[in-house]
Structures are given as C-alpha cells and as structure tokens.
Amino acid sequence: MQGIGDIEVSRRGVMVAGVTSAALAAVPATGAPRPQGASEQSLVKVAIEINGKHRELEVDTRTTLLDALRENLRLTGTKKGCDHGQCGACTVIAGGKRINSCLSLAVMHDGDKITTIEGLGTPGDLHPMQAAFITHDGYQCGYCTPGQICSAVSVLAEIRAGIPSHVTADLTAAPAITNDEMRERMSGNICRCGAYSNILEAMTEVAGERA
Ligand code: FES
Ligand code: FES
C-alpha cells in the first residue's frame, strides 16, 4: 500500500523533471506551424544560439520568440501563460538578460544567445537555482517554475551587477541581496499556487552560496 512518503517521493520525481525540463525534447525545426495568412514573403531565416547550440529556423516575421522556442524548436520548458507580458511564465535569458519571450519577435534575435530552462542544467547536473527550488519546494503545479527559475538566476546577476530596482533606497550604493530587493525584482513572475515564500528561500540559499 502506498504511504504518504511514497506519494511525496513520486511528486518530487515528477517535479524534478519539470524543473529541469531537460533538452531531451529538442528536435530539428521541421514542420513549424505558420500564422494564419502567412505567405512565403513573410518568412525569414533566423540563426540563434540556443542553450549553446547553433539553431537555424525559418519563421514568419510575426512569430514570437516564445512560439519559435515551443513550436519550431520543441523546447517546451518555456511556458505560455498570458501571452501578453503579464505573468512571466515565458521568461528566458537573452544575451545575459531576462526577457518575456512572448513580447519579443524571433526575428529580433538573429545572432543572439538565448538560454532557456533546458539550458540552465540537466537532471544529472542541476543549476544551483534548480536544485534550490527542489530543496525548498519552490513550486506546486510547476507551470510558472521555468520562468521563475530563469528570472531568479537573472535577478541575482542584476543585483550583483549593481543594477538598482524600484525599492533600492540609495542609488549611489551597490544594491544588496535583500528580501525586499528579490521580491520587487521577482514581481513580474506570477505564481497562482502562491509558492512565493519558498521561491524566496531558494533564492536566498543560492545567493548565500555564491556571496
Ligand atoms: S506568457 Fe509571457 S508574460 Fe505571460
Ligand atoms: S507553482 Fe503553480 S503557478 Fe507557480
């Protein structure tokens, strides 16, 4: 008979797979869907380095980076929540900075370097932030988690780079990694499950490890 402990282990196993969203699903960009009414004239070739790999794809000029990742490249770790820049589920790292991939066109990233959740770590070699999310239960359903983790990694980098936020009191001093700073900078990543406090604990652990 299955006990409570077994259920917990099972849930964690499933969630580890979700947190890492390993690059197993990455397949060549074939048979990519096109927007309704797309013509040959609206298709352009784009070359992007994604998770360290050179990828070439042909996309309609109206295709968002999010759709290019998910539909063309089958990198489905990056999630579509609102598709309007309001939830952060689609967060990826472009040129070292986090962006909402639903608000960015794929053609804008020709020649860029993009990191998605699949490129941060693997199940056998987790990024410290992925491992910390697991340790601190920084998720429940997991849908927002890839975006949360990409954002969390970038937030710590932004603070360390001295970039101020809305709650930075002294703009002449380097911002510190405080709860207020992290909460403010993570405010664009919505979690319907309300895992915010655990996400903060995960970020605090990683910040401490690297401080
Ligand atoms: S799907 Fe991009 S911000 Fe919600
Ligand atoms: S873990 Fe469910 S939406 Fe964040």
Side-chain angles (χ1 to χ4, degrees), residues 102-185:
C102 71
L103 294 182
S104 199
L105 296 174
V107 293
M108 295 164 61
H109 295 282
D110 189 36
D112 280 0
K113 294 182 179 179
I114 306 284
T115 302
T116 69
I117 190 67
E118 292 94 340
L120 277 182
T122 64
D125 184 22
L126 294 176
H127 185 284
M129 193 65 77
Q130 292 173 313
F133 266 62
I134 293 168
T135 300
H136 293 278
D137 269 341
Y139 48 76
Q140 288 182 41
C141 77
Y143 196 81
C144 73
T145 309
Q148 299 278 6
I149 291 176
C150 285
S151 238
V153 169
S154 297
V155 159
L156 297 187
E158 288 164 15
I159 297 174
R160 291 194 172 101
I163 299 171
S165 78
H166 186 65
V167 299
T168 305
D170 183 358
L171 296 181
T172 64
I177 299 178
T178 63
N179 283 356
D180 282 350
E181 285 283 0
M182 289 191 284
R183 283 184 187 279
E184 165 64 18
R185 293 168 195 260

Side-chain angles (χ1 to χ4, degrees), residues 79-83 85-90 100 102:
K79 301 296 186 242
K80 180 181 285 189
C82 64
D83 210 19
Q86 296 177 343
C87 73
C90 64
N100 287 336
C102 71

